[in-house]
Amino acid sequence: MRRRAFLASALIAASTLTAGCSSLGPQTERTDPVVETDDNPRDRGKYLKFGAGDDGDLATVGVDPTSGPLPRPLAVSISHTDDTELRSLTQRFVAPDGDGSPPKLSLRGPFEGGHEPHPSVSLFRDDTATVFEVHRFGELADETAFINLAVTEWPDSARRLVVDSTVELVKTGAFEHTHVLDGELAFDFFAGTDAGDGTAGTPGSSG
């Protein structure tokens, strides 16, 4: 799988005008991913692995709250097989044990790469969730996507983060086949001051 970073800047790259194009070919929905965690117990990253039978892993969607007793940076990654392209991504971020307000997020860094079409993204609040959408991956559709988000405000009483991810992936060729991948990751956090050693919080069970 080819790898290339995708970093979106807050609001500058935001767009709510275009949605991912729908495929005219067959469509398969996959809602039963395997959840894996980072091998290093000091890391919090979790991964939704969507299989494709004998063909191996179809795609992997990862979320990694990278530091602090509460989530601050959030590293999102999407890898997929070489014969597929990313069409769209929707992620809902919820703090279910908080006061009902969602965590506030921003996108970090500029787009990498100078070729068109550029990705099209939006970030907005929907009731108790903050929603991040990539409507079009553009030049990065056939790459592994890396997205850096920052939690700019976290509900005071919340110690749990749930991330629901929906990815639309298209198998290319003479006839397109669309895969809609949906799964959820959950993270538990400790209250207190970050000790700076990566052990202040550990992930809880997913789902």
Side-chain angles (χ1 to χ4, degrees), residues 147-170:
I147 305 165
N148 284 341
L149 301 170
V151 180
T152 58
E153 188 173 326
W154 178 256
D156 288 338
S157 59
R159 296 294 178 266
R160 186 170 172 82
L161 173 66
V162 175
V163 184
D164 182 83
S165 300
T166 301
V167 176
E168 190 177 17
L169 190 70
V170 178

Side-chain angles (χ1 to χ4, degrees), residues 7 10-11 18 24 40 67 76 84 110 119 131 133 136-137 159 169 185 195 206:
L7 305 175
L11 300 182
T18 54
L24 298 178
N40 189 338
S67 65
V76 176
T84 59
V131 181
E133 293 185 343
R136 181 187 68 238
F137 279 88
R159 296 294 178 266
L169 190 70
L185 294 172
S206 63

Side-chain angles (χ1 to χ4, degrees), residues 6-9 11-21 86-91 107 111-112 115-124 131-141 147:
F6 161 41
L7 305 175
S9 59
L11 300 182
I12 296 175
S15 171
T16 59
L17 298 179
T18 54
C21 301
L86 293 168
R87 178 155 287 172
S88 67
L89 165 70
T90 300
Q91 290 187 304
L107 295 118
F111 283 111
E112 180 174 324
H115 301 288
E116 295 185 355
H118 297 305
S120 172
V121 305
S122 63
L123 183 64
F124 58 94
V131 181
F132 172 67
E133 293 185 343
V134 181
H135 309 289
R136 181 187 68 238
F137 279 88
E139 61 170 318
L140 304 175
I147 305 165

Side-chain angles (χ1 to χ4, degrees), residues 10-50:
L11 300 182
I12 296 175
S15 171
T16 59
L17 298 179
T18 54
C21 301
S22 58
S23 172
L24 298 178
Q27 178 172 297
T28 302
E29 294 186 7
R30 297 175 179 270
T31 59
D32 57 348
V34 174
V35 177
E36 295 186 354
T37 59
D38 274 325
D39 294 334
N40 189 338
R42 294 166 63 91
D43 295 329
R44 293 177 172 173
K46 293 185 180 182
Y47 306 88
L48 300 168
K49 298 183 74 70
F50 295 88

Side-chain angles (χ1 to χ4, degrees), residues 1 30 50-59 81:
M1 298 182 185
R30 297 175 179 270
F50 295 88
D54 295 336
D55 295 332
D57 293 329
L58 178 64
T81 56

Side-chain angles (χ1 to χ4, degrees), residues 68-105:
L70 296 175
R72 293 303 179 191
L74 292 170
V76 176
S77 61
I78 311 171
S79 61
H80 52 103
T81 56
D82 290 340
D83 61 346
T84 59
E85 292 184 352
L86 293 168
R87 178 155 287 172
S88 67
L89 165 70
T90 300
Q91 290 187 304
R92 297 178 62 87
F93 297 82
V94 179
D97 61 341
D99 58 7
S101 62
K104 292 184 179 180
L105 305 179

